[in-house]
Amino acid sequence: MDDQQRRQGSPPDGISRPAHDLVRPSTLSALAKDAILVRIVAGEIAAGQVYSAPGLAAVLGVSVTPVREALLELAAAGLVEPVPNKGYRVVELSPHDLDEIFQVRLMLEVPAAAEVARLGTAAAAMSRFRALIDDIEQHAEDGDIPGFLEADREFHLGLLATLGNERLTDMVSRLRYQARLYALPTLAERGELKESAHEHRQLLDAISQDDPAAAARIMTHHLQHTRGIWAGQAEEAE
C-alpha cells in the first residue's frame, strides 16, 4: 500500500477486501469496475448509500485514479450516480424501472437469438459457448456469484457478437449493467440459480439445430425468468 492509500484510511464497514491487493496496471480500471459490480450484486455496496472513490480504492487495494475511471464508466451505464463533493451512489431501481429494462431486452434479444439460429454459428464458437455453459452450471451449483455473472455475461454478449452488430451488443451490455442481480446471493443459497443456468443449454441446443422459433421462445422464457430473479420475485405462472 502506498502513501496515498494509507491516507485514504481503512475500508468502509461491510465491504470485504480482495484476497490479493496487487492488480496488473494495464487492467486496473477494468478490474476495479468488475470488483465494484460484484460488491453491488452481493449487497456489500448498497443502493442509496454514498461511497467515495478513495474509500473504494482502499477496499480494492489500488490507487484512486482507476477507481474514479471505473465509477465514471458505471455512471455512464446508469448503474451509479454522482453525489457532488461526496462520491457516488448506486441508483435504486423501482419495479417500473425493471419492467422498462426488460421490455427493451425482449425487443432486442429475442429477435437477435432467432437471427443467430438462422445464420448458424461456427463449430469453434459453439464449442466455446458449450464450455461457458458448463461454467455457468457449475457456478450455479457452487453458488459462485462472481463466476456465474462473468460466464453468463460472456455467453450472452458472445452470442450477440456473432451477429457483428457492435451497437446491439453495447446496448444489451448497458441494460444488463442497469438491472443488477440483487437477489442472486439468496437464490444461490436456495439452489434456484440452477434452473436459469440450464436454460442456457436449451438456448444453445436450439441455435445448433438452426431453429429460430425455438431460440426465440427459449430466450423469451429465459428473460422472463431472469426478470423474476433480478427483482427477487417468483415468476408468474404463464
Side-chain angles (χ1 to χ4, degrees):
M1 182 180 298
D2 58 25
D3 291 340
Q4 183 182 23
Q5 290 171 314
R6 291 190 184 93
R7 291 195 298 270
Q8 289 163 3
S10 58
D13 291 340
I15 304 180
S16 61
R17 283 188 177 278
H20 56 81
D21 287 339
L22 297 178
V23 187
R24 300 166 93 176
S26 62
T27 59
L28 279 177
S29 180
L31 290 180
K33 182 175 70 174
D34 290 344
I36 292 170
L37 279 170
V38 168
R39 284 163 173 77
I40 290 174
V41 170
E44 294 181 2
I45 297 178
Q49 294 188 25
V50 178
Y51 296 88
S52 69
L56 290 174
V59 170
L60 302 178
V62 299
S63 62
V64 177
T65 298
V67 172
R68 285 190 175 130
E69 292 172 351
L71 288 169
L72 286 172
E73 289 187 41
L74 294 174
L79 186 60
V80 301
E81 58 187 2
V83 179
N85 302 318
K86 292 185 179 180
Y88 288 82
R89 174 173 51 217
V90 176
V91 176
E92 296 186 78
L93 294 179
S94 68
H96 177 71
D97 293 327
L98 284 169
D99 284 337
E100 287 190 341
I101 290 170
F102 279 93
Q103 284 172 7
V104 177
R105 287 192 65 184
L106 283 169
M107 294 175 186
L108 294 174
E109 294 183 68
V110 171
E115 185 69 0
V116 172
R118 187 184 71 81
L119 294 176
T121 304
M126 291 297 293
S127 177
R128 180 171 69 89
F129 289 131
R130 292 201 182 281
L132 282 171
I133 290 173
D134 290 340
D135 290 342
I136 290 169
E137 291 178 340
Q138 187 61 56
H139 293 316
E141 179 72 27
D142 296 340
D144 178 359
I145 302 302
F148 182 96
L149 283 172
E150 180 60 29
D152 177 78
R153 178 178 176 79
E154 187 174 346
F155 175 83
H156 282 285
L157 297 186
L159 282 178
L160 291 175
T162 64
L163 297 177
N165 189 324
E166 293 183 7
R167 286 179 173 82
L168 172 64
T169 304
D170 181 65
M171 289 174 67
V172 173
S173 176
R174 288 173 179 269
L175 290 169
R176 288 174 59 89
Y177 273 143
Q178 291 175 22
R180 287 90 64 191
L181 284 71
Y182 284 130
L184 272 182
T186 299
L187 291 173
E189 292 175 2
R190 298 174 183 171
E192 295 178 30
L193 281 182
K194 296 176 186 178
E195 180 181 351
S196 177
H198 184 61
E199 290 165 0
H200 296 77
R201 192 172 298 280
Q202 295 173 330
L203 175 62
L204 199 63
D205 286 344
I207 290 172
S208 67
Q209 294 164 11
D210 302 326
D211 190 339
R217 183 177 65 253
I218 294 166
M219 178 59 81
T220 299
H221 177 77
H222 181 62
L223 288 175
Q224 290 172 340
H225 183 205
T226 303
R227 166 64 175 89
I229 289 178
W230 288 21
Q233 302 168 350
E235 180 182 355
E236 295 181 358
E238 298 180 354

